[in-house]
Amino acid sequence: GDAMLSEYMFYVEPEYRSLKHLSALVNACKDFADEHNFLLRFEFVNQVDIRIRERLFKMHNFQIKSVIGEYDGRR
């Protein structure tokens, strides 16, 4: 049958959360997706500024499909 990778997470240390480092990670993921011929969805689940996310996605020809919000009523 077909193999499927449904979810994989990367933790990026705060000092490496720059456009340059994130772009390198996106490129590596895109290369893997191209090599294995599958759809790639990319989410940022931490405090990377939304403008940086949008810029990064546009740089790499991603279609922006959603924005994720979080509310923590415990605060």
Side-chain angles (χ1 to χ4, degrees):
D2 292 334
M4 183 173 80
L5 179 64
S6 63
E7 189 173 316
Y8 197 85
M9 298 176 116
F10 296 94
Y11 177 78
V12 179
E13 296 285 344
E15 61 269 20
Y16 296 104
R17 292 180 193 162
S18 68
L19 195 57
K20 177 182 175 182
H21 288 106
L22 293 173
S23 188
L25 177 60
V26 171
N27 275 332
C29 293
K30 284 177 61 180
D31 289 346
F32 186 83
D34 288 341
E35 181 181 331
H36 296 281
N37 193 34
F38 65 75
L39 174 69
L40 173 65
R41 287 196 179 115
F42 222 92
E43 285 185 27
F44 291 95
V45 188
N46 56 17
Q47 293 126 354
V48 174
D49 187 287
I50 194 164
R51 291 168 295 197
I52 293 173
R53 287 182 250 180
E54 288 177 359
R55 182 173 171 205
L56 186 66
F57 285 151
K58 287 176 183 176
M59 281 174 49
H60 292 279
N61 299 316
F62 278 74
Q63 293 179 1
I64 299 172
K65 298 283 187 174
S66 67
V67 176
I68 298 170
E70 181 177 87
Y71 173 78
D72 188 349
R74 299 171 295 177
R75 295 182 185 172

